Amino acid sequence: MKYSIHKIAKILDAIASDLNDADISILLTDSRQVFYPAETLFFALSTKNNDGHKYINELYELGVRNFVVSQILPDWENYNDANFLVVTNTLAALQRIAAYHRNQFDIPVIGITGSNGKTVVKEWLYQILHQDFNITHSPRSYNSQIGVPLSVWQMNDHTQLGIFEAGISQPEEMSKLEAIIRPTIGILTNIGQAHQEGFKSMKQKCLEKLELFINCDVIICEEENELIDECMEIACLSHKRLTWSRRGSSKSPLYIMKIEKQEKSTTIHYSVLGMASKLVIPFSDDASIEDAIHVLATAFYLHMSLPDINERMSTLEPVAMRLDVRQGKNNSTLINDSYNSDINSLNIALDFLAQRATTSEQKKVLIISDIPQSGLIPRELYYLAANLVLNKKIDLLIGIGQEISAHKEMFKDTESLFFNTTEDFIHSNIWHDFHDMFILLKGARSFSFESINKLLEVKTHETVLDVDLDAIVHNFKFYRSKLNPKTKMICMVKADGYGTGSSEVAKTLQYHKCDYLAVAVAEEGVVLRKQGIKVPIIVLNSEVGGFEELATYSLEPEVYNFRILDAFIKEAKLQGITNYPIHIKIDTGMHRLGFTEEDIPELMDRVKGQTGVRIQSVFSHLAASESWNFDDFTLQQIKTFKKIAGEIEESCHYPVMKHILNSAGIERFPEEQLDMVRLGISLYGVSASGLNGLRNVCTLKTTILQIKHIKAGETVGYGRKGHFDHDATIATIRIGYADGISRQFGNGVGVVLVNGYQVSIVGNICMDLTMIDVTGVEVKEGDIVTIFGENLPVTDLAKKINTIPYEIFTSISNRVKHIYYKE
């Protein structure tokens, strides 16, 4: 659906004059995601640490001509062909236009909230209902104050059912989302601890979530929950409940009589209004069972027949909550998003591909299947897809499926190949010639793109480091929120991104407008430049003979003694370079590297007597900022640094950036943030001072190779160190010290996580293998074993061997496969 810009101005009560005619079909909040500028309306959202108004010049150059703003800037006075709608609050305006759009539809709309399971319930409802309805639903987990209006905006003339999820993190948010979604059917999945930090109590949180349902006809939820019962009564919503229950004495219309778990499936025996039946779902975990019951209750309410419900529930597919990045063959990179195929998620995935493909040497390839029912007629759907492909500059499109093949003329402006089936593509053998490519797999589940992934992915052993790029972004923004708007942030990606892989982390940080990156040696910076990283990079341990390499790749060196300073000045003069940026290191008490206070007069004499280098920043390093015991020492370091930095800047007669805070310093001394701060270990999910609010970034996991039962008195491993005085069950896992797990964890010191249980490492750790005691734990060969991650923090492991998380992260071997993912 489209709205004229005049209509939108009226809906928003915006201040506007002499508007140029325009039709709007796309609402945009992220300047990096333009794909059809002529029909795009950009909302310049303002946050504590960013302001969308500063990207309007860039968007204008890309062809966008319609903007919702809260102020008019002088830069725009010559944009006579652009429309500016001036409002008080641009986020409120975005929500208002989405709410207006929602009110144009008199159709069933399902609103889902809860602490967990929202996205799974939404996607499973889509899976079993899309044969009966044209459905518009939230892409991925677009459930925020921004994501919900963008999701609801996707409703169109063909939409027969809407399914949207709503997430909140603090009070007074849900009422805004309710006005946008206006659900007629509500689903409350559960109330748990997720995002609890924004609420005074679970009761407050529950009441806030129930705000979504004030205008619903029915609310689907579990009966046996005293908190929900109490809050429903307070909110006067009890009469709207359609509950399900596991208790035979219950009056719920849906009674779950029995649940029988098998290894990879579950049989649910149930009764609906006295009619007994059963269904099988291809999952056996408790969370999936509960999510499936919510889906069952909703399908029943929508009058789906029990035989249809049972049949379709048996074919439920896993919900891929993430895109992941893997190493492909022939110097290629694979981005796997082959469980989720709709026009909205295609836009998200192509944007993610663009973030990774930062060099012109590697082609961007999209392998895409037919796009399942979207509520659009096929010609309109593939016209939109073709525009996305063209605007994201895809070099090669491979379309798989009869429908996309029938509309191949839409993709005539992009090099394209089409196949009716996945098998046809595989048998064509063209994939043998793929090299130096970024390849995005974007297919509906029925097309089995996992078979393509297997052909293209480099095979490595089953020890894997999962790196959560969303967590990197969360942690980056978490610290951004603690800074003044003008304070810059330097992010540490040295030591291969603390073991996570510097290139992928750097690409993510670059996309999110990180100001500076820092590496240890020039070679690390060169790798990033060759990967297309354009953010300024500081080299912390620069060498005397390395100036030419630094200059070639625009790397900015730390200078910490006269020998390096003199060498760089001399080399700059020989090469005819002037004002090359350098960063002066001051020793204020760490006594590792840096100029001392006594060195400053001579330092400034040498700097002022030449034109080859220019001081970009001056900085120092805190020795013990994480420790309250040394606060007097830390404050003295800061005082000394500010005095020296002031002298240097005064002598330079030009502005010099100053920075001294590391991760712990940001957490504990935010008033001393100066011009820049340096974010290190905390970017990777480990608070240097015990601060809450960070997300886990890295999960190291492997698999069980073999299980053995041994008798009391026997031993395990080299040197017969693993002694047992009882019968035991031992599992051998596929990880050893060659993968980076320290031998100090052997012989009962370390633990791992198996099927929710912490179990001990037994015997000596071998080069490639480790043995664990799984006595009393239900396990089987092939089960996943977590070495560290969300539920087994790396900080806990570090304490066991009297080391620090840095060492554990950076010890991970290159032979461990890294998989990068985001929602």
Side-chain angles (χ1 to χ4, degrees), residues 772-791:
I772 58 176
D773 184 357
V774 293
T775 305
V777 179
E778 188 175 331
V779 295
K780 61 184 181 301
E781 293 176 3
D783 279 355
I784 292 175
V785 178
T786 300
I787 311 303
F788 60 75
E790 180 72 33
N791 298 311

Side-chain angles (χ1 to χ4, degrees), residues 156 182 212 309 347 385 393 461 502 515 573 690 768 782:
N156 58 62
R182 282 281 161 167
L212 182 63
I309 292 175
N347 188 18
K393 297 181 172 58
H461 79 146
S502 60
D515 301 295
K573 184 177 181 179
D768 310 301

Side-chain angles (χ1 to χ4, degrees), residues 463-478:
T463 300
V464 172
L465 182 73
D466 279 348
V467 180
D468 185 346
L469 297 177
D470 284 330
I472 289 281
V473 173
H474 169 85
N475 298 339
F476 173 73
K477 290 183 176 180
F478 179 84

Side-chain angles (χ1 to χ4, degrees), residues 395-584:
D395 298 297
L396 173 63
L397 169 83
I398 295 174
I400 298 177
Q402 295 184 359
E403 193 170 84
I404 194 171
S405 298
H407 293 85
K408 60 185 178 183
E409 75 278 0
M410 298 289 185
F411 301 90
K412 61 185 178 184
D413 295 324
T414 301
E415 182 182 352
S416 307
L417 296 168
F418 294 89
F419 302 89
N420 283 330
T421 67
T422 301
E423 290 74 20
D424 289 345
F425 165 74
I426 292 172
H427 292 151
S428 73
N429 288 324
I430 64 167
W431 50 272
H432 283 298
D433 299 324
F434 287 179
H435 59 87
D436 298 299
M437 293 177 170
F438 278 91
I439 304 168
L440 170 61
L441 299 178
K442 194 80 179 75
R445 179 71 181 216
S446 59
F447 284 84
S448 301
F449 271 21
E450 59 269 21
S451 58
I452 300 177
N453 186 81
K454 289 178 182 178
L455 292 174
L456 301 180
E457 184 182 1
V458 169
K459 300 297 184 293
T460 57
H461 79 146
E462 295 177 14
T463 300
V464 172
L465 182 73
D466 279 348
V467 180
D468 185 346
L469 297 177
D470 284 330
I472 289 281
V473 173
H474 169 85
N475 298 339
F476 173 73
K477 290 183 176 180
F478 179 84
Y479 284 95
R480 268 276 193 220
S481 71
K482 298 181 177 298
L483 303 179
N484 299 322
K486 293 185 178 180
T487 302
K488 297 182 182 298
M489 186 181 286
I490 305 167
C491 287
M492 299 290 156
V493 292
K494 61 181 181 176
D496 199 24
Y498 290 33
T500 63
S502 60
S503 294
E504 287 298 326
V505 172
K507 288 174 183 178
T508 299
L509 293 170
Q510 177 171 265
Y511 183 77
H512 288 279
K513 309 295 184 182
C514 176
D515 301 295
Y516 262 90
L517 299 173
V519 297
V521 295
E523 288 81 0
E524 292 179 325
V526 172
V527 168
L528 295 181
R529 288 287 184 244
K530 289 181 176 179
Q531 289 292 319
I533 300 301
K534 296 179 174 58
V535 175
I537 298 174
I538 299 175
V539 177
L540 298 174
N541 301 325
S542 47
E543 299 174 357
V544 168
F547 184 80
E548 183 174 356
E549 187 174 45
L550 294 171
T552 300
Y553 292 96
S554 299
L555 305 174
E556 302 177 13
E558 168 191 314
V559 173
Y560 48 84
N561 64 23
F562 290 114
R563 185 169 66 97
I564 290 178
L565 176 65
D566 292 342
F568 285 178
I569 290 173
K570 179 180 179 181
E571 194 63 31
K573 184 177 181 179
L574 288 173
Q575 295 187 31
I577 293 174
T578 60
N579 292 320
Y580 197 85
I582 63 172
H583 300 262
I584 298 295

